[in-house]
Amino acid sequence: MKTELCAYSVDACRVAQRLGVNRVELCASPAEGGVTPSMATIERVVAIKGIDVSVMIRPRGGDFLYSDDEFKTMLRDIEHARAAKATGVVFGILTADGRVDVERTRRLVEASEGMETTFHRAVDMTADYESAIEDIIAAGCTRILTSGGYDKAIDGIDNIRRAVEIARGRIEIMAGSGVVASNARALRDVGVDALNF
């Protein structure tokens, strides 16, 4: 099973590498819940040997309903992440009625060709969690980061288990939010592919 650290600094990524974490989810602005980091930060983290780097593609904090201009920014940020040789990108887009925006998600996946794609915890804000899992699979993402529709993954563990069942190996399921030593084993045991700390 893979491990991923949500990291907001180059130093945090160095610590993750030393501790044997497989991948970092590189973000900026923790107060906003994570937005796209600077190009310089991406380049410096990618230079750390022995760790994969997934870059957050999120133009602002707040909801996950993006304007056409914001969507164009996301596409450009994906180009920057590729140019910096990031392993993957992380994003999530919803429609006004709280469903996965499948068309735009598919376009982001296509723009990310050659990189892994994670649909982040926007899935936990959807109106129909199980349908959202199928929609993300249909859009072609590599994995889903989810807390099972709850603030903390341990509280959403039944939904995470259901997501694993729905996925049936068609997409990776990664549990995240509030994952700590005392609950990591319980989350692992529902069959997730990775844990996000």
Side-chain angles (χ1 to χ4, degrees), residues 135-157:
D135 287 342
I136 296 166
I137 292 169
C141 290
T142 307
R143 74 182 58 86
I144 299 171
L145 169 61
T146 180
S147 60
Y150 287 76
D151 184 46
K152 302 296 182 192
I154 196 64
D155 297 324
I157 193 167

Side-chain angles (χ1 to χ4, degrees), residues 16-173:
Q17 187 273 340
R18 285 200 305 270
L19 294 176
V21 173
N22 302 114
R23 180 174 56 237
V24 291
E25 177 191 28
L26 183 61
C27 308
S29 296
E32 293 186 274
V35 298
T36 306
S38 73
M39 185 68 169
T41 300
I42 299 169
E43 289 172 343
R44 292 189 67 207
V45 172
V46 167
I48 299 170
K49 302 299 182 189
I51 195 162
D52 289 343
V53 181
S54 285
V55 176
M56 176 62 73
I57 305 296
R58 188 179 180 205
R60 58 164 172 79
D63 63 30
F64 304 106
L65 179 64
Y66 297 112
S67 69
D68 288 342
D69 276 342
E70 289 169 332
F71 183 70
K72 288 174 185 174
T73 297
M74 295 172 80
L75 290 169
R76 189 78 174 113
D77 282 335
I78 288 172
E79 290 178 19
H80 290 158
R82 176 186 286 105
K85 298 184 170 33
T87 313
V89 288
V90 184
F91 49 71
I93 301 186
L94 304 182
T95 60
D97 61 352
R99 302 185 69 85
V100 172
D101 189 330
V102 178
E103 179 184 345
R104 278 178 156 186
T105 300
R106 189 176 287 122
R107 286 177 62 192
L108 293 177
V109 169
E110 290 167 355
S112 306
E113 185 178 0
M115 294 186 287
E116 296 181 344
T117 52
T118 302
F119 194 98
H120 60 48
R121 290 188 55 224
V123 67
D124 298 316
M125 309 299 171
T126 55
D128 185 333
Y129 182 77
E130 294 191 9
S131 293
I133 302 297
E134 288 289 359
D135 287 342
I136 296 166
I137 292 169
C141 290
T142 307
R143 74 182 58 86
I144 299 171
L145 169 61
T146 180
S147 60
Y150 287 76
D151 184 46
K152 302 296 182 192
I154 196 64
D155 297 324
I157 193 167
D158 290 337
N159 283 339
I160 295 171
R161 181 183 292 108
R162 181 66 184 132
V164 170
E165 292 168 355
I166 293 168
R168 297 190 311 277
R170 295 177 293 161
I171 193 168
E172 296 176 20
I173 303 297

Side-chain angles (χ1 to χ4, degrees), residues 3-21:
T3 53
E4 179 177 283
L5 178 73
C6 183
Y8 291 90
S9 70
V10 177
D11 283 345
C13 294
R14 290 196 185 106
V15 171
Q17 187 273 340
R18 285 200 305 270
L19 294 176
V21 173

